[in-house]
Amino acid sequence: MRITHPQAPFQGIAPENVFFVANDQQIQLGTGYVMLFYQGEMYPERPAHLFMQMDAQPSARALMYGALLARAEQLRAQTPNLPARLYAQVAPENADMLRFYESCGMMNDDGEDLYRFLTPDGVARAPMGMQFASVPLADELSQTAFLNRINAHRIQPITRDYLQLWQQQQHFMALGFYRGGQPICETIITGTGSNATLLMIYTRSDCRRQGMAKQLLGAAAALLKERGVTTIYTHVFRRNAPQMALMKRLNATFIRTVTALPGIDL
């Protein structure tokens, strides 16, 4: 078997980060790639992220994994002072791939989980010195500015298409706490009937650990209760301490793992 790179970008990824594996008869047995990105807002303790995607026959997995790991270490060396994590995305029911990654030294200790909690008590007002207001989303410029702020705290960005789709739903809300017109904490919620989905909530890094997110969620909940909402669903990342702490404060119930994210620190 041999490993090769494509001659041109593959799905928008640089050729040097993409690998093909083929047997001696030149029959392709798999593809894989690794991507480097930074997420200091969600994971300040380990901001360099290396995402590995691999689709290979069992006989070619070890060779492919070795090539991807070697490239990940090269990319990680570009920012030696930033702690990094290499991880993969696996369907939680795919026990075969989870076992493979664990055999390579990855820990199955992270994932995107679905939680449910009852609409919390709250009042529709801001902390002292701040304003509670809807996010202006009337034009493309304001929508883009809001998405840029939200996506700085996300792994997978929200697009304008999704935002506009959610805006058409019954319980859509984009709310925030502001000081001097500057956003301190913002959230986006949607849903229909008695259920709502908390799509995103973030607090500016210099204003965290003050209960701001829970207070904003309570302020939004006061409005949701008037619409008959009793239950809120949301997705959280298991290794994200603030998200997990918020779920604990809300007495949220774990429903299921949506995506397993086995990984290893580099």
Side-chain angles (χ1 to χ4, degrees), residues 137 143 146-147 151 154 156-169 172 188-190 199:
L137 297 173
Q143 291 174 9
F146 176 57
L147 289 176
N151 289 334
R154 291 179 58 85
Q156 186 173 9
I158 296 173
T159 65
R160 285 189 66 241
D161 287 342
Y162 274 113
L163 176 63
Q164 291 171 351
L165 178 65
W166 292 330
Q167 282 181 288
Q168 299 172 24
Q169 294 191 346
F172 176 82
I188 179 170
I189 298 169
T190 191
L199 299 167

Side-chain angles (χ1 to χ4, degrees), residues 122-138:
V123 291
R125 65 168 181 258
M128 186 177 298
M130 296 186 191
Q131 297 79 44
F132 175 50
S134 295
V135 180
L137 297 173

Side-chain angles (χ1 to χ4, degrees), residues 69-100:
L69 177 61
R71 181 56 181 155
E73 290 176 336
Q74 290 176 341
L75 292 170
R76 190 261 180 279
Q78 296 175 6
T79 54
N81 297 324
L82 287 181
R85 181 173 179 82
L86 173 67
Y87 73 99
Q89 182 175 335
V90 183
E93 62 273 13
N94 192 342
D96 182 43
M97 282 307 297
L98 286 172
R99 281 194 299 268
F100 171 77

Side-chain angles (χ1 to χ4, degrees), residues 61-261:
R61 284 176 187 166
L63 182 61
M64 177 63 77
Y65 179 84
L68 292 169
L69 177 61
R71 181 56 181 155
E73 290 176 336
Q74 290 176 341
L75 292 170
R76 190 261 180 279
Q78 296 175 6
T79 54
N81 297 324
L82 287 181
R85 181 173 179 82
L86 173 67
Y87 73 99
Q89 182 175 335
V90 183
E93 62 273 13
N94 192 342
D96 182 43
M97 282 307 297
L98 286 172
R99 281 194 299 268
F100 171 77
Y101 284 125
E102 288 174 341
S103 73
C104 294
M106 286 186 163
M107 300 291 292
N108 185 18
D109 60 354
D110 193 13
E112 185 179 5
D113 297 332
L114 176 65
Y115 277 81
R116 177 185 65 223
F117 55 94
L118 299 179
T119 310
D121 293 329
V123 291
R125 65 168 181 258
M128 186 177 298
M130 296 186 191
Q131 297 79 44
F132 175 50
S134 295
V135 180
L137 297 173
D139 53 56
E140 182 176 344
L141 187 63
S142 60
Q143 291 174 9
T144 299
F146 176 57
L147 289 176
N148 286 341
R149 297 194 300 271
I150 287 286
N151 289 334
H153 300 79
R154 291 179 58 85
I155 296 294
Q156 186 173 9
I158 296 173
T159 65
R160 285 189 66 241
D161 287 342
Y162 274 113
L163 176 63
Q164 291 171 351
L165 178 65
W166 292 330
Q167 282 181 288
Q168 299 172 24
Q169 294 191 346
Q170 179 184 6
H171 299 318
F172 176 82
M173 294 180 178
L175 305 166
F177 292 153
Y178 301 88
R179 181 187 293 131
Q182 297 301 309
I184 302 298
C185 183
E186 292 181 306
T187 188
I188 179 170
I189 298 169
T190 191
T192 58
S194 61
N195 297 325
T197 299
L198 172 62
L199 299 167
M200 182 66 197
I201 188 166
Y202 82 91
T203 303
R204 208 170 69 186
S205 57
D206 59 334
C207 298
R208 291 174 184 163
R209 296 183 176 85
Q210 300 177 32
M212 206 79 68
K214 185 178 180 181
Q215 194 165 350
L216 177 58
L217 189 55
L223 302 177
L224 289 170
K225 284 184 175 181
E226 294 177 357
R227 302 182 182 186
V229 173
T230 58
T231 306
I232 299 177
Y233 294 84
T234 193
H235 289 194
V236 301
F237 288 92
R238 209 175 302 151
R239 286 172 61 92
N240 184 283
Q243 289 182 1
M244 294 305 297
L246 179 60
M247 292 300 99
K248 185 176 181 179
R249 289 196 295 270
L250 293 168
N251 294 315
T253 301
F254 169 82
I255 304 299
R256 62 184 174 89
T257 295
V258 178
T259 303
L261 300 168

